[in-house]
Amino acid sequence: MSPLTLALLITSLTTSTIITMASNHWLLAWLGLELNTLSILPIIMKPGHPRATEATTKYFLVQVTAAALILCATTLNVWQTGQWSIMLTPTPTTTTLLLMAIALKLGLAPMHLWYPDIMQGSTMSTALIISTWQKIAPMTLLLLLHNHLNTTTMTLFGLTSVFLGGWAGLNQTQTRKIMAFSSISHMGWLTVALALSPKLAILTMILYMTMTATLFFSLTTTTTKTMLDMGTAWPHSPTLMTTTMLALMSLGGLPPLTGFMPKWLILKELVSSPLISTLMLLASLPSLFFYTRLAYLTILTTPPTTTTTKYKWRLKTMLKPNTMLATPTTLLLLPLTPLLY
C-alpha cells in the first residue's frame, strides 16, 4: 500500500467520523458510519498476513451487522413518526435497536467477543486506531440519543462491560488482547458516565483516548507484543519503561494520576446509588490486577536474559514527539479536575 493510498484512507476515516458527528439526519449518520468502516478495512488488511485478513473479515461482518440494525431501526422510526431527524424523540423499539447496534459497534459486553480477536490480528498502530478513533462516531450517536435512552439499561451494559473486561483480561498474555479487554472495561465506565452526565462522558472519553494512546505509543516503540517482551524491554529504554509503568497505573485509576479523575467523578455522581457504585468498584479490581501485573513486569523484574555488557543488543530508542506530548496528559491532569469538570 502506497503512502498516498494510506493518506487517502486516513483522510476518509477522519471525514466519515466528522460527517457522523455533524449530521442531524439518520441517513447521513449511517452513511458516515459506513464510510468509517470501509476506510479502516484496508488499513487492518495492510500487513497481508492471514490473521490480518481474518481480523478484517470479522470486523467487516460485525460492523455491517450493526449498520444494518441502525438502518432497520431508523426506517422503523421514519415509518412511525415520519421524521429523519436524530433530535426528535424516537419510538421505544427504535431506541432499543439503536442501543444494541451501537453497543455492538463499541464492543460493549455481552457483544464484545469479536473485539479481542480483531485487536490481536491488527498491528499496534491499527489497534490504536480501532480502540480510540473508531469509538468516536458511535459515541457521538449515543450522546445525541442520551435523553431518550433507558438509564437502567445503560448502567447494566456498563456494569457488565466493566465486570467481563476485567475478568476476561486476567488470563491474557498478549498485550493487544490485554488492551482490548482494558478498552471493554473503560467503555463500561464510559457508558455509565453517559447515563449520568454527557459532559462527564465526553471528559471520560478524552482521557481514555489519551491514556490508551500513550500506552500504545510506548508498546510500539519497544515492539512489545507479549508480557515476556515487556519483561525484557528494560535495556531498550529504562525511561520509557518507567513511563509505561506510570501509564499502566493511570489506566488502572490509581491516584494521583490522571486515570483516577474519571472514576472519581463517576463514583461521585453515583453517590445516590451505593449498590451500583460498590459493584462498579468491585468489578474494576480484576482489571487493576492485570495493570499491576504488567507494571510489575516493566521495571520491577530483571529477567535472566537481560544483558550485563556495556553495549546493548538493540538499536538506540527513537522516542517520537507524540509520546512526549501524551505522557504529561496521562500522568499529571488530576490537579486540574475542578477546571475540567
Side-chain angles (χ1 to χ4, degrees):
M1 188 185 294
S2 67
L4 179 60
T5 310
L6 191 59
L8 286 173
L9 286 171
I10 292 172
T11 306
S12 173
L13 199 65
T14 310
T15 308
S16 58
T17 305
I18 293 170
I19 288 172
T20 308
M21 292 172 67
S23 62
N24 188 30
H25 195 282
W26 275 117
L27 272 184
L28 273 178
W30 176 82
L31 179 64
L33 288 172
E34 284 302 284
L35 281 173
N36 189 270
T37 301
L38 292 174
S39 302
I40 192 70
L41 291 177
I43 298 176
I44 302 174
M45 207 188 296
K46 184 174 179 289
H49 193 274
R51 183 163 287 190
T53 309
E54 180 189 344
T56 308
T57 309
K58 285 181 180 177
Y59 190 81
F60 173 73
L61 292 173
V62 168
Q63 297 299 316
V64 163
T65 305
L69 272 175
I70 291 174
L71 196 59
C72 175
T74 51
T75 308
L76 280 174
N77 190 54
V78 173
W79 182 34
Q80 293 175 339
T81 64
Q83 296 291 335
W84 282 101
S85 175
I86 294 177
M87 294 304 179
L88 293 178
T89 305
T91 60
T93 308
T94 303
T95 307
T96 306
L97 280 174
L98 285 171
L99 183 57
M100 298 290 282
I102 295 172
L104 182 59
K105 273 190 169 290
L106 287 173
L108 287 173
M111 291 171 283
H112 67 288
L113 296 175
W114 60 274
Y115 191 61
D117 289 338
I118 288 167
M119 290 280 280
Q120 182 61 27
S122 310
T123 61
M124 280 290 181
S125 53
T126 308
L128 169 60
I129 296 172
I130 293 171
S131 59
T132 54
W133 185 263
Q134 292 299 96
K135 309 282 188 187
I136 296 176
M139 277 308 302
T140 305
L141 284 180
L142 271 187
L143 278 166
L144 292 172
L145 290 169
H146 82 276
N147 284 328
H148 313 301
L149 296 173
N150 189 332
T151 309
T152 307
T153 309
M154 294 280 286
T155 308
L156 189 61
F157 263 122
L159 189 58
T160 310
S161 298
V162 175
F163 183 78
L164 287 180
W167 278 99
L170 286 176
N171 200 31
Q172 303 301 323
T173 57
Q174 303 285 328
T175 52
R176 279 168 293 185
K177 279 199 172 184
I178 289 173
M179 292 306 297
F181 287 112
S182 163
S183 178
I184 293 166
S185 179
H186 276 90
M187 284 298 110
W189 281 94
L190 189 56
T191 309
V192 173
L194 184 62
L196 298 169
S197 163
K199 185 181 174 184
L200 179 56
I202 292 170
L203 177 62
T204 306
M205 183 71 179
I206 292 170
L207 293 178
Y208 157 74
M209 289 174 66
T210 307
M211 292 185 292
T212 304
T214 304
L215 199 53
F216 266 111
F217 290 151
S218 170
L219 296 176
T220 305
T221 306
T222 56
T223 61
T224 302
K225 295 180 180 178
T226 64
M227 290 175 64
L228 183 62
D229 292 342
M230 187 165 274
T232 57
W234 177 259
H236 191 54
S237 175
T239 308
L240 185 60
M241 295 315 290
T242 306
T243 305
T244 306
M245 183 202 72
L246 292 172
L248 284 164
M249 293 291 95
S250 185
L251 265 175
L254 292 182
L257 303 169
T258 303
F260 178 63
M261 185 202 301
K263 293 186 177 180
W264 175 29
L265 293 173
I266 291 168
L267 291 173
K268 183 175 75 70
E269 295 289 338
L270 280 172
V271 72
S272 57
S273 307
L275 177 62
I276 300 295
S277 56
T278 306
L279 287 174
M280 289 286 287
L281 276 174
L282 291 175
S284 65
L285 287 176
S287 55
L288 178 61
F289 172 78
F290 65 69
Y291 292 132
T292 311
R293 183 173 60 172
L294 285 175
Y296 179 75
L297 284 172
T298 52
I299 68 167
L300 299 175
T301 57
T302 306
T305 53
T306 301
T307 177
T308 54
T309 58
K310 185 176 180 182
Y311 298 102
K312 292 188 299 185
W313 52 276
R314 291 199 185 193
L315 299 175
K316 184 179 179 183
T317 307
M318 298 298 293
L319 295 180
K320 297 174 184 175
N322 49 16
T323 310
M324 297 298 100
L325 289 171
T327 301
T329 315
T330 303
L331 304 180
L332 304 172
L333 282 189
L334 186 62
L336 297 179
T337 304
L339 183 65
L340 295 172
Y341 186 67

